[in-house]
């Protein structure tokens, strides 16, 4: 028996993939929805899966299982059509290879459906960077970052990346491939490139990072090749540049691993938001993970941060920086800071970090 909303989730995710420049996955998911409707091999694999198809990203779990086989070198027929494996997409041959693989290795796909989607899109750090720099400029204190939903913690390393920008229209990727240096160490191994629309004066700021730490209910250990492969598998198979950037970031992080605890977000924050921590800005931050939390957990996280905000002082300020999709296909970078509880929308951004439309830091938006 299929979970309610399965076909709708595949069609909706197909539209998202098309919008975010993944024609291969858009086509796969549209055809998969038809297959499910007809009771084909995809339907057989999904039969009995329990969960919420869209909230639990069921379509991406299926695609991630196939991509993992390709990256492991155990699905050569499908690899011929995957750009991340040096292949070239071609329909309908690519779809036939995909559906044949599902049919032949159904048990492995069922096991893959149990694997929670894990992503660490470091291009999102370009938007987060603006928020971190704005806070540092306003308070003049070092930053103490507390990331929830860290996955592998690669966005904790935002201050170790080099950022290059290209001018773009509002809410559009840049039309050019020439980027200019904007912030960070020129010798940094990891380069984050994105389009930027709006005033970039905030990027001329300086920042001191006191510490960075995070939590996740299922953190990825980058020292473990199999766990790192999980991150790679959830990169979309026609996004070659994203995969290459991820691998560079993983290699750099292995020399200086992020600090991540296996904990639920609200419990961990209750321990970390200690009012006795003085002389730093304690910043709770996260990116494109809020929808994975239950409604109860969202409420607990919000209440925990708000309670810490009420205790905040000028010597021990608290902030909440989040890059999330608040009911729209575009993400928003929102910042709430205490004392005072001022909330601002600093930017709109592409969920995959291709562009940032900076709105400013002076007062509510």
């Amino acid at each position: 028996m299929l979970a309610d909303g399965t076909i709708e989730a595949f069609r909706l995710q197909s539209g998202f993939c098309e919008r975010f420049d993944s024609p291969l996955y858009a086509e796969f998911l549209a055809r998969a929805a038809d297959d499910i409707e007809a009771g084909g091999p995809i339907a057989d694999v999904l039969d009995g899966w329990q969960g919420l198809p869209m909230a639990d990203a069921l379509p991406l779990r299926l695609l991630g299982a196939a991509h993992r086989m390709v990256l492991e070198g155990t699905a050569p027929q499908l690899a011929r059509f995957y750009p991340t494996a040096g292949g070239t997409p071609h329909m309908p041959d690519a779809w036939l290879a995909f559906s044949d693989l599902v049919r032949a290795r159904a048990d492995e796909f069922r096991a893959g459906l149990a694997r929670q989607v894990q992503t660490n899109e470091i291009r999102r750090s370009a938007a987060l960077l603006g928020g971190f720099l704005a806070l540092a400029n306003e308070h003049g204190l070092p930053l103490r970052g507390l990331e929830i939903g860290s996955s592998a913690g690669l966005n904790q390393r935002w201050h170790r990346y080099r950022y290059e920008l290209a001018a773009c229209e509002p809410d559009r990727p840049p039309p050019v491939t020439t980027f200019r240096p904007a912030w960070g160490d020129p010798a940094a191994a990891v380069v984050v490139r994105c389009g930027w629309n709006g005033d970039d004066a905030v990027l001329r700021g300086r920042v001191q990072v006191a510490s960075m730490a995070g939590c996740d209910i299922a953190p990825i250990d980058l020292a473990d090749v199999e766990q790192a492969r999980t991150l790679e598998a959830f990169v979309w198979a026609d996004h070659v540049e994203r995969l290459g950037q991820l691998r560079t970031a993983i290699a750099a992080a292995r020399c200086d691993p992020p600090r991540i605890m296996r904990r639920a977000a609200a419990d961990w924050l209750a321990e970390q938001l200690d009012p006795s921590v003085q002389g730093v800005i304690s910043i709770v931050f996260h990116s494109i993970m809020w929808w994975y939390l239950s409604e109860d957990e969202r409420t607990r996280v919000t209440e925990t941060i708000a309670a810490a905000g009420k205790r905040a002082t000028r010597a021990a300020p608290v902030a909440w920086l989040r890059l999330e999709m608040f009911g729209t296909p575009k993400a928003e970078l929102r910042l709430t800071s205490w004392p005072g509880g001022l909330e601002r929308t600093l930017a709109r951004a592409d969920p995959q970090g291709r562009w940032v439309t900076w709105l400013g830091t002076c007062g509510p938006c």
Side-chain angles (χ1 to χ4, degrees):
M1 183 174 181
L2 295 176
D4 289 343
T6 295
I7 295 174
E8 293 82 353
F10 273 74
R11 296 202 192 283
L12 186 59
Q13 185 64 57
S14 174
F16 286 149
C17 290
E18 183 175 9
R19 186 178 295 120
F20 298 130
D21 293 333
S22 179
L24 177 65
Y25 274 13
E27 182 75 11
F28 273 4
L29 292 177
R31 289 175 179 262
D34 292 341
D35 178 278
I36 296 166
E37 204 163 33
I42 309 298
D44 290 342
V45 163
L46 301 182
D47 185 27
W49 181 85
Q50 296 182 350
L52 300 174
M54 197 63 209
D56 294 330
L58 178 59
L60 297 182
R61 293 186 186 210
L62 181 75
L63 294 172
H67 197 194
R68 188 183 192 95
M69 296 175 194
V70 167
L71 294 175
E72 289 173 343
T74 64
Q77 295 305 311
L78 183 58
R80 295 186 298 126
F81 305 106
Y82 272 36
T84 50
T88 303
H90 183 268
M91 292 296 171
D93 295 345
W95 168 251
L96 294 174
F98 183 89
S99 58
D100 286 347
L101 185 67
V102 172
R103 186 181 292 105
R105 300 170 67 173
D107 287 343
E108 292 177 61
F109 273 93
R110 291 188 186 98
L113 296 180
R115 186 175 290 117
Q116 187 177 29
V117 172
Q118 286 273 17
T119 60
N120 244 190
E121 180 51 72
I122 64 170
R123 287 190 303 189
R124 295 170 186 156
S125 291
L128 293 170
L129 172 67
F132 289 128
L133 293 176
L135 280 167
N137 179 63
E138 291 170 8
H139 292 275
L141 294 172
L143 308 186
R144 174 178 175 252
L146 303 170
E147 185 186 27
I148 59 175
S150 296
S151 187
L154 295 177
N155 285 327
Q156 289 180 37
R157 297 174 50 81
W158 60 270
H159 55 299
R160 302 185 185 278
Y161 301 151
R162 173 162 51 99
Y163 296 84
E164 296 182 354
L165 306 179
C168 66
E169 295 298 315
D171 305 352
R172 294 288 186 274
V176 298
T177 56
T178 301
F179 294 82
R180 59 178 176 80
W183 194 88
D185 182 356
V190 180
V191 181
V192 176
R193 295 187 176 96
C194 82
W196 187 280
N197 176 268
D199 189 357
D200 63 358
V202 67
L203 300 179
R204 293 193 281 274
R206 300 175 63 85
V207 64
Q208 181 181 351
V209 175
S211 64
M212 285 283 153
C215 73
D216 197 282
I217 59 171
I220 294 288
D221 179 2
L222 296 175
D224 185 319
V225 174
E226 288 301 308
Q227 292 189 49
R229 179 63 51 76
T230 297
L231 284 184
E232 296 178 358
F234 284 120
V235 173
W236 296 356
D238 44 1
H239 287 187
V240 177
E241 183 180 356
R242 286 179 64 202
L243 181 60
Q245 185 181 60
L246 174 64
R247 286 173 168 168
T248 300
I250 288 173
R254 283 173 174 158
C255 301
D256 183 18
R259 295 168 52 204
I260 312 172
M261 290 191 67
R262 185 183 296 271
R263 295 294 301 280
D267 293 339
W268 184 73
L269 287 177
E271 298 169 356
Q272 297 297 317
L273 290 171
D274 186 338
S276 67
V277 178
Q278 303 281 310
V280 295
I281 312 169
S282 294
I283 308 170
V284 178
F285 71 100
H286 51 88
S287 55
I288 318 298
M289 58 74 68
W290 194 244
W291 75 317
Y292 290 113
L293 298 181
S294 68
E295 194 64 37
D296 177 66
E297 185 73 356
R298 292 180 191 178
T299 299
R300 292 182 61 217
V301 168
T302 302
E303 291 175 347
T304 300
I305 297 172
K310 290 180 180 179
R311 301 190 300 263
T313 65
R314 291 178 62 86
V318 172
W320 185 10
L321 183 68
R322 60 269 197 206
L323 180 68
E324 298 290 347
M325 299 168 70
F326 297 97
T328 70
K330 298 169 186 174
E332 291 184 354
L333 181 70
R334 295 184 183 179
L335 172 66
T336 309
S337 54
W338 294 270
L342 176 64
E343 180 170 329
R344 294 164 283 175
T345 300
L346 301 182
R348 293 189 303 271
D350 176 64
Q352 293 181 351
R354 296 174 299 170
W355 54 264
V356 173
T357 295
W358 188 254
L359 304 175
T361 59
C362 299
C365 297

